[in-house]
Amino acid sequence: MTGRGDGTRVVHAGLPAPVPGEPFLPGPVFAAPYHLDPVEGPGENGYGRPDNPTRRALESAIGELEGGTVRAFASGQAAVTALLLSVLRSGDTVALPSDGYFTIRAFAEGTLRGLGVRTVLVPTAGPYPSFEGVRLVLLETPANPGLDVCDVRAVSAAAHAAGALVAVDNTTSTPLGQRPLELGADVVVASGSKALTGHSDVLLGYVASADEDLIARVTTWRAQTGGVPGAFDCWLAHRSMATLDLRLARQNANAAAVAELLAGRGDVTGLRWPGRETDPSYPVASGQMRRIPGIVSFDLGSAERVGRFLTAAELVFAATSFGGLHTTADRRAQWGDDTAPGFVRLSCGIEDTADLIADLAAALDRA
Ligand SMILES: *Cc1c(COP(=O)(O)O)cnc(C)c1O
């Protein structure tokens, strides 16, 4: 499907060649052990932890979009920690975003520190330090939840010059929003629990890379530690990915309208959306990204005002996570994230734009 548009690519990604009488997307294969050839022993499918055809189909679908070989995991955290633990050794230094997904920092400050791995925290928007002596640089762009963006090409070149490996967390953008491997990164990690699958019903993660040695290490890690996604979740994820192009298009249109609404209100501060020309992320995002995600962040001043806003809004569910069909808003500070008490990450769903804007405006007036 190379050379085809995004909508075509996601509809066909990872599907087997047509066979009369067979479904387009084969159903989930539920198996712990499989029948073995009593003489030859294991073939492609021996045991469910290393081998599952439903998972392989999903991996080939994501791999087509990212441009690398994919290994799927039970969650984004399982994927990120698999990469960190299969690459880093005692005495190594890892560079992590200071403003990225907070559980990754918590893992570094706890488990990695205990294993003798040093962490340097770097803000996504820079300035970036010298990468001399750094083993792995993990970037997250746009960063969750603050939506700063970093120049993957420039940071990868600097990191490679110092001998470091570069990973990009592609969760917020999805492979239709940017392809980090083409921008110079060595490996992608991501949560598939967010926009990639988009129906708020699956936990999933993946590692993608064209470096087959690295993929071999991650594959061994996964086979031995066992954090694999179940067959039904892989099937749900694969089915959901077919609409990724349509979902992202509506989420993006809704976010543009929401950002416009919020920019015109005197009672909202700290508005961020990388698709707005006045946003600090805009210059790098517009050169590097193929689309801007439907996530907008802003500050309503206090936890109480956020509470009144979410109670008044009929089309905005109070919920964490992002990238789903339904518009949701999360006051990040309630999770112990180091954001201001009134900071909100709003994830635009696929509702009609006019309805969403009217609901948000009315809820802000009442809050
Ligand atoms: C949610 C998230 C993760 C973790 O993914 P899970 O599927 O929740 O484990 C990692 N990175 C980013 C940027 C995320 O938003």
Side-chain angles (χ1 to χ4, degrees):
M1 290 294 146
T2 43
R4 307 284 176 116
D6 285 354
T8 311
R9 292 166 65 237
V10 292
V11 164
H12 287 277
L15 295 189
V19 175
E22 293 296 322
F24 300 174
L25 176 65
V29 173
F30 300 112
Y34 302 81
H35 288 297
L36 296 181
D37 182 312
V39 178
E40 301 292 331
E44 201 179 23
N45 296 317
Y47 185 60
R49 177 155 33 80
D51 314 320
N52 183 280
T54 313
R55 192 169 75 215
R56 283 197 297 270
L58 172 69
E59 290 172 340
S60 77
I62 302 173
E64 284 178 33
L65 304 181
E66 289 285 7
T69 303
V70 164
R71 291 296 173 259
F73 283 84
S75 67
Q77 275 307 113
V80 174
T81 56
L83 176 73
L84 296 174
L85 292 171
S86 44
V87 166
L88 298 168
R89 295 291 171 265
S90 180
D92 282 349
T93 297
V94 61
L96 298 178
S98 59
D99 50 346
Y101 189 62
F102 75 112
T103 313
I104 298 172
R105 284 199 300 284
F107 178 77
E109 282 151 21
T111 303
L112 289 185
R113 182 197 299 247
L115 292 172
V117 173
R118 206 173 74 88
T119 299
V120 231
L121 294 178
V122 187
T124 297
Y128 281 80
S130 154
F131 293 120
E132 232 34 73
V134 173
R135 176 87 186 88
L136 173 69
V137 178
L138 173 64
L139 306 173
E140 189 180 308
T141 178
N144 166 24
L147 303 178
D148 273 333
V149 161
C150 78
D151 185 333
V152 175
R153 276 192 201 90
V155 177
S156 296
H160 287 154
L165 200 68
V166 177
V168 173
D169 186 324
N170 210 20
T171 304
T172 50
S173 143
T174 84
L176 294 194
Q178 70 192 1
R179 285 199 286 269
L181 300 180
E182 283 176 9
L183 296 172
D186 302 292
V187 53
V188 166
V189 289
S191 170
S193 321
K194 320 282 173 57
L196 183 74
T197 59
H199 287 62
S200 306
D201 53 10
V202 165
L203 286 175
L204 185 80
Y206 66 90
V207 174
S209 180
D211 175 342
E212 293 303 325
D213 286 344
L214 182 61
I215 288 294
R217 271 190 282 167
V218 167
T219 306
T220 302
W221 173 268
R222 187 184 65 177
Q224 295 176 349
T225 59
V228 291
F232 188 61
D233 285 356
C234 289
W235 182 83
L236 275 178
H238 199 160
R239 186 178 81 150
S240 301
M241 276 173 53
T243 54
L244 182 59
D245 172 62
L246 293 174
R247 287 185 279 111
L248 292 180
R250 177 62 71 83
Q251 288 169 344
N252 172 282
N254 280 349
V258 167
E260 195 60 37
L261 167 79
L262 298 179
R265 292 194 62 112
D267 54 354
V268 173
T269 60
L271 170 66
R272 294 298 307 269
W273 187 58
R276 263 181 83 74
E277 281 181 35
T278 50
D279 192 275
S281 293
Y282 182 81
V284 177
S286 56
Q288 153 172 300
M289 300 186 68
R290 304 172 68 241
R291 2 172 142 210
I292 305 298
I295 310 161
V296 175
S297 63
F298 53 93
D299 200 313
L300 291 185
S302 70
E304 293 68 29
R305 184 145 184 266
V306 176
R308 290 197 298 275
F309 163 65
L310 290 177
T311 306
E314 292 176 2
L315 299 181
V316 184
F317 292 158
T320 192
S321 196
F322 56 86
L325 306 173
H326 314 84
T327 295
T328 60
D330 194 14
R331 194 179 70 79
R332 287 302 304 165
Q334 72 190 312
W335 302 96
D337 212 341
D338 45 9
T339 50
F343 174 91
V344 176
R345 182 187 63 206
L346 183 94
S347 173
C348 296
I350 62 165
E351 300 88 349
D352 289 282
T353 308
D355 290 341
L356 188 59
I357 295 303
D359 190 57
L360 282 175
L364 284 170
D365 287 343
R366 268 178 277 159

Short mmCIF file of all heavy atoms in Angstrom, two decimals, residues 32-74:
data_model
loop_
_atom_site.label_atom_id
_atom_site.label_comp_id
_atom_site.label_asym_id
_atom_site.label_seq_id
_atom_site.Cartn_x
_atom_site.Cartn_y
_atom_site.Cartn_z
N ALA A 32 -3.53 -21.07 24.09
CA ALA A 32 -2.29 -21.09 24.87
C ALA A 32 -1.35 -22.04 24.12
O ALA A 32 -0.54 -21.60 23.34
CB ALA A 32 -2.58 -21.47 26.30
N PRO A 33 -1.53 -23.39 24.24
CA PRO A 33 -0.75 -24.25 23.33
C PRO A 33 -1.51 -24.46 22.02
O PRO A 33 -2.73 -24.32 21.98
CB PRO A 33 -0.64 -25.57 24.10
CG PRO A 33 -1.88 -25.63 24.93
CD PRO A 33 -2.25 -24.20 25.25
N TYR A 34 -0.80 -24.78 20.96
CA TYR A 34 -1.38 -25.17 19.68
C TYR A 34 -1.02 -26.65 19.45
O TYR A 34 -0.06 -27.16 20.02
CB TYR A 34 -0.77 -24.35 18.53
CG TYR A 34 -0.95 -22.85 18.67
CD1 TYR A 34 -0.09 -22.10 19.47
CD2 TYR A 34 -1.95 -22.17 17.97
CE1 TYR A 34 -0.23 -20.73 19.59
CE2 TYR A 34 -2.10 -20.80 18.08
CZ TYR A 34 -1.24 -20.08 18.89
OH TYR A 34 -1.38 -18.72 19.01
N HIS A 35 -1.77 -27.30 18.55
CA HIS A 35 -1.37 -28.65 18.14
C HIS A 35 0.04 -28.58 17.54
O HIS A 35 0.36 -27.64 16.81
CB HIS A 35 -2.31 -29.18 17.04
CG HIS A 35 -3.67 -29.55 17.55
ND1 HIS A 35 -3.88 -30.55 18.48
CD2 HIS A 35 -4.90 -29.04 17.26
CE1 HIS A 35 -5.18 -30.64 18.73
NE2 HIS A 35 -5.82 -29.74 18.01
N LEU A 36 0.83 -29.56 17.85
CA LEU A 36 2.17 -29.64 17.26
C LEU A 36 2.21 -30.81 16.29
O LEU A 36 1.48 -31.79 16.46
CB LEU A 36 3.23 -29.88 18.34
CG LEU A 36 3.44 -28.79 19.39
CD1 LEU A 36 4.55 -29.21 20.35
CD2 LEU A 36 3.77 -27.46 18.74
N ASP A 37 3.08 -30.72 15.33
CA ASP A 37 3.38 -31.89 14.50
C ASP A 37 4.17 -32.85 15.40
O ASP A 37 5.23 -32.47 15.91
CB ASP A 37 4.21 -31.45 13.29
CG ASP A 37 4.52 -32.62 12.36
OD1 ASP A 37 4.96 -33.69 12.85
OD2 ASP A 37 4.35 -32.43 11.14
N PRO A 38 3.64 -34.05 15.60
CA PRO A 38 4.28 -34.95 16.58
C PRO A 38 5.71 -35.32 16.21
O PRO A 38 6.50 -35.67 17.09
CB PRO A 38 3.39 -36.20 16.59
CG PRO A 38 2.23 -35.91 15.72
CD PRO A 38 2.45 -34.64 14.98
N VAL A 39 6.03 -35.20 14.95
CA VAL A 39 7.39 -35.55 14.51
C VAL A 39 8.26 -34.31 14.38
O VAL A 39 9.37 -34.23 14.94
CB VAL A 39 7.34 -36.33 13.17
CG1 VAL A 39 8.76 -36.65 12.70
CG2 VAL A 39 6.51 -37.59 13.33
N GLU A 40 7.74 -33.29 13.68
CA GLU A 40 8.55 -32.09 13.38
C GLU A 40 8.66 -31.13 14.57
O GLU A 40 9.56 -30.31 14.63
CB GLU A 40 7.94 -31.33 12.20
CG GLU A 40 7.83 -32.14 10.90
CD GLU A 40 9.19 -32.45 10.31
OE1 GLU A 40 10.13 -31.67 10.51
OE2 GLU A 40 9.32 -33.52 9.66
N GLY A 41 7.67 -31.18 15.50
CA GLY A 41 7.70 -30.24 16.61
C GLY A 41 7.16 -28.89 16.20
O GLY A 41 6.42 -28.78 15.22
N PRO A 42 7.50 -27.79 16.96
CA PRO A 42 6.87 -26.48 16.76
C PRO A 42 7.17 -25.87 15.39
O PRO A 42 8.30 -25.94 14.91
CB PRO A 42 7.46 -25.61 17.87
CG PRO A 42 8.46 -26.43 18.59
CD PRO A 42 8.46 -27.82 18.05
N GLY A 43 6.14 -25.29 14.77
CA GLY A 43 6.30 -24.49 13.56
C GLY A 43 6.10 -23.03 13.93
O GLY A 43 6.64 -22.56 14.93
N GLU A 44 5.23 -22.34 13.16
CA GLU A 44 5.00 -20.91 13.40
C GLU A 44 4.30 -20.68 14.74
O GLU A 44 4.56 -19.70 15.43
CB GLU A 44 4.16 -20.36 12.25
CG GLU A 44 4.28 -18.86 12.11
CD GLU A 44 3.46 -18.33 10.93
OE1 GLU A 44 2.49 -19.00 10.50
OE2 GLU A 44 3.79 -17.24 10.46
N ASN A 45 3.39 -21.59 15.09
CA ASN A 45 2.63 -21.44 16.33
C ASN A 45 2.86 -22.64 17.25
O ASN A 45 2.43 -23.75 16.94
CB ASN A 45 1.13 -21.32 16.03
CG ASN A 45 0.82 -20.06 15.25
OD1 ASN A 45 1.36 -18.99 15.55
ND2 ASN A 45 -0.02 -20.18 14.25
N GLY A 46 3.55 -22.37 18.35
CA GLY A 46 3.79 -23.43 19.32
C GLY A 46 3.08 -23.14 20.62
O GLY A 46 2.30 -23.95 21.14
N TYR A 47 3.30 -21.94 21.12
CA TYR A 47 2.71 -21.53 22.40
C TYR A 47 2.34 -20.06 22.32
O TYR A 47 3.04 -19.25 21.68
CB TYR A 47 3.72 -21.80 23.54
CG TYR A 47 3.14 -21.52 24.91
CD1 TYR A 47 2.02 -22.22 25.38
CD2 TYR A 47 3.71 -20.55 25.73
CE1 TYR A 47 1.49 -21.95 26.62
CE2 TYR A 47 3.18 -20.28 26.99
CZ TYR A 47 2.07 -20.98 27.42
OH TYR A 47 1.53 -20.71 28.65
N GLY A 48 1.25 -19.68 23.00
CA GLY A 48 0.66 -18.34 22.83
C GLY A 48 1.49 -17.17 23.31
O GLY A 48 1.29 -16.04 22.83
N ARG A 49 2.41 -17.37 24.23
CA ARG A 49 3.19 -16.21 24.70
C ARG A 49 4.09 -15.68 23.58
O ARG A 49 3.99 -14.52 23.22
CB ARG A 49 3.95 -16.55 25.99
CG ARG A 49 4.84 -15.45 26.51
CD ARG A 49 5.12 -15.52 28.02
NE ARG A 49 5.19 -16.86 28.55
CZ ARG A 49 6.24 -17.67 28.46
NH1 ARG A 49 7.33 -17.27 27.84
NH2 ARG A 49 6.22 -18.87 28.99
N PRO A 50 4.93 -16.52 22.98
CA PRO A 50 5.68 -16.01 21.82
C PRO A 50 4.88 -15.91 20.52
O PRO A 50 5.20 -15.07 19.68
CB PRO A 50 6.84 -17.00 21.66
CG PRO A 50 6.39 -18.25 22.35
CD PRO A 50 5.41 -17.86 23.41
N ASP A 51 3.87 -16.78 20.33
CA ASP A 51 3.25 -16.90 18.99
C ASP A 51 1.74 -16.69 19.02
O ASP A 51 1.05 -17.44 19.71
CB ASP A 51 3.47 -18.32 18.42
CG ASP A 51 4.90 -18.82 18.57
OD1 ASP A 51 5.82 -18.02 18.39
OD2 ASP A 51 5.08 -20.02 18.90
N ASN A 52 1.26 -15.74 18.25
CA ASN A 52 -0.19 -15.63 18.05
C ASN A 52 -0.47 -14.95 16.71
O ASN A 52 0.01 -13.85 16.47
CB ASN A 52 -0.84 -14.83 19.20
CG ASN A 52 -2.34 -14.78 19.04
OD1 ASN A 52 -2.86 -13.99 18.27
ND2 ASN A 52 -3.04 -15.66 19.74
N PRO A 53 -1.26 -15.59 15.84
CA PRO A 53 -1.49 -15.04 14.50
C PRO A 53 -2.29 -13.73 14.52
O PRO A 53 -2.07 -12.86 13.66
CB PRO A 53 -2.27 -16.14 13.78
CG PRO A 53 -2.77 -17.07 14.83
CD PRO A 53 -1.86 -16.93 16.01
N THR A 54 -3.20 -13.55 15.49
CA THR A 54 -3.98 -12.30 15.57
C THR A 54 -3.04 -11.14 15.93
O THR A 54 -3.15 -10.04 15.39
CB THR A 54 -5.08 -12.44 16.64
OG1 THR A 54 -5.75 -13.68 16.46
CG2 THR A 54 -6.05 -11.29 16.57
N ARG A 55 -2.12 -11.43 16.84
CA ARG A 55 -1.14 -10.42 17.24
C ARG A 55 -0.20 -10.10 16.07
O ARG A 55 0.14 -8.94 15.83
CB ARG A 55 -0.36 -10.94 18.44
CG ARG A 55 0.47 -9.89 19.14
CD ARG A 55 0.98 -10.44 20.46
NE ARG A 55 2.06 -11.38 20.28
CZ ARG A 55 2.26 -12.46 21.05
NH1 ARG A 55 1.43 -12.76 22.03
NH2 ARG A 55 3.28 -13.24 20.83
N ARG A 56 0.22 -11.13 15.35
CA ARG A 56 1.12 -10.88 14.21
C ARG A 56 0.44 -10.02 13.14
O ARG A 56 1.07 -9.15 12.54
CB ARG A 56 1.58 -12.21 13.59
CG ARG A 56 2.67 -12.91 14.39
CD ARG A 56 3.38 -13.97 13.55
NE ARG A 56 2.48 -15.03 13.12
CZ ARG A 56 2.24 -16.15 13.82
NH1 ARG A 56 2.85 -16.36 14.98
NH2 ARG A 56 1.42 -17.06 13.35
N ALA A 57 -0.87 -10.23 12.93
CA ALA A 57 -1.59 -9.43 11.92
C ALA A 57 -1.62 -7.96 12.36
O ALA A 57 -1.40 -7.04 11.56
CB ALA A 57 -3.00 -9.96 11.72
N LEU A 58 -1.89 -7.73 13.64
CA LEU A 58 -1.89 -6.36 14.16
C LEU A 58 -0.50 -5.74 14.03
O LEU A 58 -0.35 -4.58 13.63
CB LEU A 58 -2.33 -6.36 15.64
CG LEU A 58 -2.18 -5.02 16.36
CD1 LEU A 58 -3.17 -3.99 15.81
CD2 LEU A 58 -2.37 -5.17 17.87
N GLU A 59 0.53 -6.51 14.37
CA GLU A 59 1.90 -6.00 14.28
C GLU A 59 2.26 -5.65 12.84
O GLU A 59 2.94 -4.64 12.60
CB GLU A 59 2.89 -7.04 14.83
CG GLU A 59 2.76 -7.20 16.34
CD GLU A 59 3.57 -8.35 16.92
OE1 GLU A 59 3.95 -9.27 16.17
OE2 GLU A 59 3.82 -8.33 18.14
N SER A 60 1.78 -6.44 11.89
CA SER A 60 2.14 -6.07 10.52
C SER A 60 1.37 -4.82 10.10
O SER A 60 1.89 -3.98 9.37
CB SER A 60 1.99 -7.26 9.57
OG SER A 60 0.66 -7.47 9.27
N ALA A 61 0.14 -4.64 10.61
CA ALA A 61 -0.62 -3.42 10.30
C ALA A 61 0.09 -2.18 10.84
O ALA A 61 0.30 -1.20 10.11
CB ALA A 61 -2.03 -3.52 10.89
N ILE A 62 0.47 -2.21 12.11
CA ILE A 62 1.15 -1.04 12.70
C ILE A 62 2.50 -0.84 12.02
O ILE A 62 2.92 0.29 11.75
CB ILE A 62 1.32 -1.20 14.22
CG1 ILE A 62 -0.03 -1.40 14.92
CG2 ILE A 62 2.03 0.03 14.81
CD1 ILE A 62 0.06 -1.73 16.40
N GLY A 63 3.17 -1.96 11.71
CA GLY A 63 4.48 -1.89 11.05
C GLY A 63 4.41 -1.19 9.70
O GLY A 63 5.30 -0.42 9.34
N GLU A 64 3.33 -1.45 8.94
CA GLU A 64 3.17 -0.77 7.64
C GLU A 64 3.07 0.74 7.84
O GLU A 64 3.56 1.52 7.02
CB GLU A 64 1.88 -1.24 6.95
CG GLU A 64 1.97 -2.62 6.34
CD GLU A 64 0.64 -3.04 5.71
OE1 GLU A 64 -0.09 -2.18 5.19
OE2 GLU A 64 0.34 -4.25 5.77
N LEU A 65 2.41 1.15 8.92
CA LEU A 65 2.20 2.60 9.14
C LEU A 65 3.45 3.27 9.70
O LEU A 65 3.76 4.40 9.34
CB LEU A 65 1.00 2.81 10.09
CG LEU A 65 -0.32 2.18 9.65
CD1 LEU A 65 -1.42 2.49 10.66
CD2 LEU A 65 -0.74 2.65 8.26
N GLU A 66 4.17 2.59 10.61
CA GLU A 66 5.36 3.19 11.22
C GLU A 66 6.59 3.05 10.32
O GLU A 66 7.56 3.78 10.46
CB GLU A 66 5.68 2.55 12.58
CG GLU A 66 4.72 2.91 13.72
CD GLU A 66 4.92 4.33 14.27
OE1 GLU A 66 5.72 5.11 13.71
OE2 GLU A 66 4.25 4.64 15.28
N GLY A 67 6.57 2.03 9.43
CA GLY A 67 7.74 1.78 8.59
C GLY A 67 8.83 1.00 9.32
O GLY A 67 10.02 1.29 9.18
N GLY A 68 8.44 0.00 10.10
CA GLY A 68 9.42 -0.83 10.81
C GLY A 68 8.78 -2.13 11.24
O GLY A 68 7.62 -2.41 10.93
N THR A 69 9.57 -2.96 11.93
CA THR A 69 9.04 -4.21 12.49
C THR A 69 8.47 -3.88 13.86
O THR A 69 9.07 -3.12 14.63
CB THR A 69 10.19 -5.24 12.62
OG1 THR A 69 10.75 -5.42 11.33
CG2 THR A 69 9.68 -6.57 13.14
N VAL A 70 7.31 -4.47 14.16
CA VAL A 70 6.60 -4.10 15.39
C VAL A 70 6.48 -5.30 16.33
O VAL A 70 6.28 -6.43 15.89
CB VAL A 70 5.19 -3.56 15.03
CG1 VAL A 70 4.27 -3.52 16.25
CG2 VAL A 70 5.31 -2.16 14.42
N ARG A 71 6.62 -5.04 17.61
CA ARG A 71 6.26 -6.00 18.64
C ARG A 71 5.21 -5.35 19.53
O ARG A 71 5.45 -4.27 20.07
CB ARG A 71 7.49 -6.39 19.48
CG ARG A 71 8.53 -7.21 18.72
CD ARG A 71 8.01 -8.58 18.28
NE ARG A 71 8.97 -9.26 17.42
CZ ARG A 71 8.89 -9.34 16.09
NH1 ARG A 71 7.88 -8.79 15.43
NH2 ARG A 71 9.81 -9.97 15.39
N ALA A 72 4.06 -6.02 19.65
CA ALA A 72 2.96 -5.47 20.46
C ALA A 72 3.09 -5.93 21.90
O ALA A 72 3.58 -7.03 22.18
CB ALA A 72 1.62 -5.91 19.87
N PHE A 73 2.64 -5.07 22.79
CA PHE A 73 2.72 -5.33 24.23
C PHE A 73 1.35 -5.12 24.87
O PHE A 73 0.45 -4.53 24.26
CB PHE A 73 3.76 -4.41 24.88
CG PHE A 73 5.18 -4.85 24.61
CD1 PHE A 73 5.82 -4.49 23.44
CD2 PHE A 73 5.86 -5.66 25.51
CE1 PHE A 73 7.12 -4.90 23.17
CE2 PHE A 73 7.16 -6.08 25.26
CZ PHE A 73 7.79 -5.70 24.09
N ALA A 74 1.23 -5.55 26.13
CA ALA A 74 -0.04 -5.48 26.84
C ALA A 74 -0.47 -4.05 27.16
O ALA A 74 -1.65 -3.81 27.44
CB ALA A 74 0.07 -6.29 28.13
#
